[in-house]
Amino acid sequence: MAMDNKGWNASQLRNCDLQFDEIPRLHHNDPKVDELMSENKPVVVLGSNLAKSAEKWDLDYLERHMGESDFTVFQSKSHKFKYYDDKKVTSGDGFVPPTKKLDMKLPEFIKRLRAWKKGEDRLYLQQGLNNTVGPAIVHDFLNFDWNFCTGKQSKHNWGSLTSNLMLIGMEGNVTPCHYDEQENLFAQVHGFKRCILFPPDQFECLYPHPVHHPHDRQSMVDFDRPDYNKFPKFRQAKGFETVVGPGEVLYIPMYWWHHVESLMQGSYTVSVNFWYKGGPVSVSYPLKGHQKVAVMRNVEKMLLDVLQDPKEIPVLLRAMVLGRYT
Ligand SMILES: CC1(C)c2ccccc2-c2ccc(C[C@@H](CC(=O)O)C(=O)C(=O)O)cc21
Ligand SMILES: [Zn+2]
């Protein structure tokens, strides 16, 4: 495979009908980094040492130092790892979980990762960086450049750091398009991930599942084979993309949609994310896109609370809007 100088090439990206603009890739000292972050816009930060102490986290090192505890590993029959909230699964709603959640020791996970053949079930290890991992990993974690991320947290008035997830994925794994309600500094440690991001105001083009659905916050559109009859506005979705490699940090602003894929025919991937609570709400009109998403979420929650039966929600909303507001 002809590798361009960047370490990957376009044949490793999955096909997508949409065209995307590039997310800016700037040196960490460039003042434009903070300009974009203060405007809640994504940016790839180059040359930071945020997770530099993790650059030695290859499989051998992780096998030796991750410790003896069980780790959370998701298993999928497809390349997609669509998150679902098991607390929102109600009996009889016919929901079929698309992934299985396993507990696995690291050596077992690494054995299966190394032996994996295309077509077999895929695995995605997701583990909070906490005291369950071995002392060497804790040491590397403590050696992250905390000045960098804490500096961003205070400069942009983010809330507290809620968690750091370590992710070890197989080549070709996909986390389908979804949004999170937290600010995210996404540090790529090993391998390459293509990230496709959409601003919160693309809500109408990305058709999120209802709030009470187990796939809350995830897009209903299958990016591999979009159903344009059910989701006609998906054609107009306006997104941004980048491929992040080792040592690069992508700022994923709160409420921004993101689809993340580990490049195909690539190596396994290791990432560490830093999730921060959002900052104080400053209300000015018209409301920002993400604030309207929060309003719609509250309306859906309130309607479910008062109507109880989810099937009554669209009936009431249509009665309220059709012919009166349209
Ligand atoms: C798919 C998976 C393993 C998962 C399964 C079940 C529950 C939660 C999650 C979860 C949460 C975060 C990520 C990391 C990242 C996407 C990526 O890097 O793939 C991302 O979306 C973010 O950092 O916000 C990945 C996952
Ligand atoms: Zn996410």
Side-chain angles (χ1 to χ4, degrees):
M1 175 188 303
M3 282 297 173
D4 304 14
N5 57 354
K6 48 190 188 268
W8 56 275
N9 68 56
S11 71
Q12 296 177 265
L13 307 179
R14 291 185 181 276
N15 295 330
C16 186
D17 298 349
L18 305 176
Q19 299 288 320
F20 307 111
D21 289 334
E22 276 292 310
I23 294 171
R25 294 165 55 82
L26 305 172
H27 190 264
H28 68 97
N29 285 336
D30 186 331
K32 197 155 172 36
V33 167
D34 285 317
E35 272 173 45
L36 289 167
M37 293 176 93
S38 56
E39 291 162 5
N40 300 314
K41 287 178 184 167
V43 56
V44 176
V45 182
L46 307 173
S48 87
N49 292 318
L50 177 57
K52 182 141 183 72
S53 55
E55 68 183 357
K56 55 182 178 293
W57 288 3
D58 61 18
L59 292 184
D60 293 337
Y61 183 88
L62 293 171
E63 188 160 27
R64 281 200 311 276
H65 296 297
M66 275 286 271
E68 300 307 310
S69 41
D70 278 348
F71 295 105
T72 306
V73 175
F74 292 92
Q75 180 166 338
S76 175
K77 293 206 165 317
S78 88
H79 53 280
K80 294 187 179 80
F81 286 79
K82 190 166 181 177
Y83 166 72
Y84 69 93
D85 181 347
D86 40 21
K87 294 189 293 301
K88 294 188 174 178
V89 180
T90 50
S91 60
D93 64 5
F95 177 73
V96 179
T99 57
K100 240 165 68 179
K101 188 171 179 180
L102 311 169
D103 279 331
M104 204 181 283
K105 298 247 181 287
L106 202 83
E108 164 68 17
F109 171 76
I110 291 179
K111 187 160 70 74
R112 290 181 55 176
L113 190 154
R114 285 198 164 113
W116 177 75
K117 295 276 177 297
K118 264 182 92 63
E120 292 173 352
D121 285 6
R122 288 164 174 271
L123 301 176
Y124 209 155
L125 184 144
Q126 178 227 59
Q127 176 56 35
L129 281 175
N130 49 38
N131 52 16
T132 62
V133 297
I137 302 294
V138 171
H139 178 263
D140 298 335
F141 173 76
L142 295 174
N143 278 333
F144 284 171
D145 180 356
W146 292 101
N147 288 331
F148 175 78
C149 50
T150 311
K152 295 304 177 207
Q153 176 189 20
S154 59
K155 178 169 286 192
H156 300 291
N157 301 315
W158 296 340
S160 52
L161 173 70
T162 58
S163 67
N164 291 97
L165 280 186
M166 173 205 276
L167 297 126
I168 309 176
M170 288 181 172
E171 64 177 70
N173 279 12
V174 173
T175 299
C177 195
H178 69 281
Y179 66 88
D180 301 300
E181 295 175 273
Q182 303 206 49
E183 302 288 358
N184 185 352
L185 284 177
F186 183 87
Q188 188 55 20
V189 171
H190 187 97
F192 292 87
K193 277 184 171 174
R194 183 220 201 157
C195 303
I196 303 172
L197 273 64
F198 302 85
D201 65 13
Q202 297 286 301
F203 181 96
E204 288 104 296
C205 304
L206 292 166
Y207 302 88
H209 287 269
V211 168
H212 59 274
H213 189 281
H215 284 321
D216 174 27
R217 294 184 291 111
Q218 325 277 318
S219 170
M220 293 195 272
V221 182
D222 178 354
F223 277 34
D224 294 323
R225 297 178 64 241
D227 180 337
Y228 291 109
N229 297 320
K230 283 172 69 175
F231 312 120
K233 290 188 179 135
F234 182 65
R235 278 191 208 288
Q236 293 130 34
K238 173 103 191 59
F240 303 81
E241 73 172 328
T242 191
V243 173
V244 287
E248 299 178 352
V249 179
L250 169 64
Y251 167 53
I252 306 177
M254 188 166 66
Y255 286 100
W256 273 64
W257 299 86
H258 45 289
H259 154 110
V260 181
E261 60 189 59
S262 295
L263 297 200
M264 298 186 288
Q265 289 93 37
S267 90
Y268 63 92
T269 54
V270 179
S271 316
V272 176
N273 72 12
F274 295 67
W275 267 323
Y276 292 87
K277 284 207 179 87
V281 179
S282 70
V283 177
S284 65
Y285 295 97
L287 291 183
K288 293 208 181 96
H290 75 271
Q291 292 170 318
K292 289 177 180 167
V293 172
V295 168
M296 290 188 278
R297 292 184 61 82
N298 287 335
V299 169
E300 284 184 46
K301 287 173 186 171
M302 183 269 284
L303 286 176
L304 182 66
D305 197 33
V306 295
L307 295 173
Q308 292 294 304
D309 178 358
K311 288 191 285 299
E312 290 205 39
I313 296 177
V315 177
L316 183 133
L317 286 172
R318 283 193 195 93
M320 194 163 80
V321 170
L322 300 184
R324 300 182 61 236
Y325 281 87
T326 55

